[in-house]
Short mmCIF file of all heavy atoms in Angstrom, two decimals:
data_model
loop_
_atom_site.label_atom_id
_atom_site.label_comp_id
_atom_site.label_asym_id
_atom_site.label_seq_id
_atom_site.Cartn_x
_atom_site.Cartn_y
_atom_site.Cartn_z
N GLY A 34 18.58 3.98 2.62
CA GLY A 34 17.46 3.07 2.37
C GLY A 34 16.12 3.79 2.40
O GLY A 34 15.08 3.16 2.18
N VAL A 62 9.27 26.94 2.62
CA VAL A 62 7.91 27.37 2.95
C VAL A 62 7.61 27.19 4.44
O VAL A 62 6.46 27.25 4.86
CB VAL A 62 6.84 26.65 2.08
CG1 VAL A 62 7.07 26.94 0.61
CG2 VAL A 62 6.83 25.16 2.36
N LEU A 86 20.70 20.65 7.78
CA LEU A 86 19.41 20.40 8.42
C LEU A 86 19.57 20.09 9.91
O LEU A 86 20.60 19.56 10.33
CB LEU A 86 18.74 19.20 7.74
CG LEU A 86 18.50 19.34 6.23
CD1 LEU A 86 18.07 18.00 5.64
CD2 LEU A 86 17.45 20.40 5.95
N GLU A 95 23.77 11.62 19.08
CA GLU A 95 24.12 13.04 18.95
C GLU A 95 23.01 13.74 18.19
O GLU A 95 22.35 13.16 17.34
CB GLU A 95 25.48 13.21 18.25
CG GLU A 95 25.63 12.46 16.95
CD GLU A 95 27.03 12.57 16.35
OE1 GLU A 95 27.98 12.92 17.08
OE2 GLU A 95 27.16 12.30 15.14
N GLU A 117 37.17 -0.32 21.13
CA GLU A 117 37.60 -0.27 19.73
C GLU A 117 38.84 -1.15 19.51
O GLU A 117 38.89 -1.91 18.54
CB GLU A 117 37.90 1.17 19.29
CG GLU A 117 38.19 1.21 17.79
CD GLU A 117 38.81 2.50 17.31
OE1 GLU A 117 39.18 3.35 18.15
OE2 GLU A 117 38.94 2.65 16.09
N ALA A 152 29.21 -14.77 11.83
CA ALA A 152 30.41 -14.38 12.59
C ALA A 152 30.23 -12.97 13.15
O ALA A 152 30.57 -12.70 14.32
CB ALA A 152 31.64 -14.44 11.69
N ARG A 154 27.36 -11.47 13.77
CA ARG A 154 26.32 -11.49 14.81
C ARG A 154 26.91 -11.98 16.15
O ARG A 154 26.70 -11.38 17.19
CB ARG A 154 25.18 -12.42 14.39
CG ARG A 154 24.00 -12.42 15.38
CD ARG A 154 23.09 -13.62 15.19
NE ARG A 154 22.66 -13.77 13.81
CZ ARG A 154 21.62 -13.12 13.27
NH1 ARG A 154 20.92 -12.31 14.02
NH2 ARG A 154 21.30 -13.30 12.01
N VAL A 189 14.89 10.88 20.18
CA VAL A 189 15.30 12.18 19.60
C VAL A 189 14.15 12.84 18.84
O VAL A 189 14.05 14.07 18.84
CB VAL A 189 16.54 12.09 18.68
CG1 VAL A 189 17.80 12.02 19.49
CG2 VAL A 189 16.45 10.99 17.67
N PRO A 198 11.08 24.69 15.68
CA PRO A 198 9.76 24.94 15.08
C PRO A 198 8.90 23.67 14.96
O PRO A 198 7.88 23.69 14.30
CB PRO A 198 10.15 25.43 13.67
CG PRO A 198 11.39 24.65 13.34
CD PRO A 198 12.12 24.46 14.65
N ASP A 210 14.41 0.68 8.31
CA ASP A 210 15.16 -0.41 8.95
C ASP A 210 14.68 -0.61 10.39
O ASP A 210 13.86 0.15 10.91
CB ASP A 210 16.65 -0.07 8.91
CG ASP A 210 17.54 -1.31 8.83
OD1 ASP A 210 17.03 -2.42 9.11
OD2 ASP A 210 18.73 -1.18 8.51
N PHE A 217 8.90 5.12 14.61
CA PHE A 217 7.48 4.88 14.25
C PHE A 217 6.63 4.86 15.52
O PHE A 217 5.54 5.44 15.55
CB PHE A 217 7.31 3.55 13.51
CG PHE A 217 8.07 3.44 12.20
CD1 PHE A 217 8.59 2.23 11.77
CD2 PHE A 217 8.23 4.55 11.38
CE1 PHE A 217 9.27 2.12 10.57
CE2 PHE A 217 8.91 4.46 10.17
CZ PHE A 217 9.43 3.25 9.77
N ILE A 236 5.69 -1.53 12.59
CA ILE A 236 4.54 -0.93 13.25
C ILE A 236 4.15 0.37 12.55
O ILE A 236 3.26 1.08 13.02
CB ILE A 236 4.80 -0.68 14.75
CG1 ILE A 236 6.01 0.24 14.96
CG2 ILE A 236 4.99 -1.99 15.50
CD1 ILE A 236 6.10 0.79 16.38
N LEU A 258 2.96 23.26 -3.72
CA LEU A 258 3.58 24.44 -3.11
C LEU A 258 4.09 25.39 -4.18
O LEU A 258 4.09 26.59 -4.02
CB LEU A 258 4.75 24.04 -2.21
CG LEU A 258 4.45 23.12 -1.04
CD1 LEU A 258 5.73 22.76 -0.31
CD2 LEU A 258 3.48 23.80 -0.09
N VAL A 262 0.23 27.41 -3.56
CA VAL A 262 0.46 28.16 -2.33
C VAL A 262 1.55 29.22 -2.52
O VAL A 262 1.40 30.36 -2.12
CB VAL A 262 0.85 27.20 -1.19
CG1 VAL A 262 1.08 27.96 0.10
CG2 VAL A 262 -0.23 26.16 -1.00
#
Side-chain angles (χ1 to χ4, degrees):
V62 299
L86 302 170
E95 51 185 18
E117 187 194 8
R154 184 197 308 276
V189 281
D210 211 344
F217 299 147
I236 59 166
L258 300 177
V262 180

